[in-house]
């Protein structure tokens, strides 16, 4: 695995960001990890808002269970927890929710939760995003021309990459047109 760390400065905003270039062991895939301080601030704010909303929803569920005529059936409470997880899907994966049941095992008496951040997510690594490119074999076009005098002309040309990918090839320090054009007279 090859890793290259580069610090660059944005021409538009002027903020600096870091990139890591990672080649897989079989050199079939290139991943470019980028870290942007501006994006980090944005993601931290989003995660804080969703975390607050999720914990407030869980606290509201606990209050509902504690009320004398509150809903305590396991099916209904898990349904409400599922809806809450759907609303806050970015942070819900970081919580472990446990239900404490009554002696009969039909009704919930208490609801507890613990926060367990998962690595490699917005919560644990804010501001980091990955650009992934699978290095494919470029298509080659081969054309043979027969001449009247006897020899034949063979032209082989590699396909051109898309123009939008030129900045990515530059950032990864890859040749955008490795095949080029080759002529062979036989």
């Amino acid at each position: 695995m090859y890793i290259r760390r580069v610090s660059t400065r944005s021409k538009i905003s002027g903020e600096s960001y870091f990139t890591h270039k990672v080649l897989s062991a079989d050199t079939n895939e290139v991943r470019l990890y980028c870290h942007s301080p501006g994006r980090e601030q944005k993601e931290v704010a989003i995660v804080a808002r969703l975390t607050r909303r999720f914990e407030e929803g869980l606290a509201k569920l606990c209050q509902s269970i504690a009320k004398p005529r509150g809903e305590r059936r396991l099916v209904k409470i898990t349904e409400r927890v599922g809806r809450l997880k759907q609303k806050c899907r970015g942070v819900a994966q970081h919580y472990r929710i446990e239900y404490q049941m009554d002696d009969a095992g039909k009704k919930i008496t208490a609801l507890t939760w613990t926060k367990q951040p998962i690595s490699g997510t917005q919560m644990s690594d804010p501001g980091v995003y990955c650009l992934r490119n699978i290095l494919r074999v470029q298509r080659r076009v081969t054309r043979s021309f027969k001449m009247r005098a006897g020899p034949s002309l063979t032209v082989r040309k590699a396909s051109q990459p898309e123009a939008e990918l030129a900045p990515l090839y530059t950032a990864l320090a890859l040749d955008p047109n490795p095949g080029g054009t080759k002529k062979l007279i036989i």
Side-chain angles (χ1 to χ4, degrees), residues 95-109:
Y95 285 87
R96 179 178 167 84
I97 301 170
E98 296 176 0
Y99 306 104
Q100 295 171 355
M101 308 297 287
D102 64 353
D103 293 334
K106 293 184 178 181
K107 295 192 177 197
I108 295 176
T109 57

Side-chain angles (χ1 to χ4, degrees), residues 8 15 44 69 74-75 79 82 96 98 105 120 143-144 155 163:
T8 55
E15 76 175 7
V44 165
R69 294 187 181 208
L74 178 64
V75 175
E79 186 177 299
R96 179 178 167 84
E98 296 176 0
R143 180 75 179 160
S144 295
V155 178

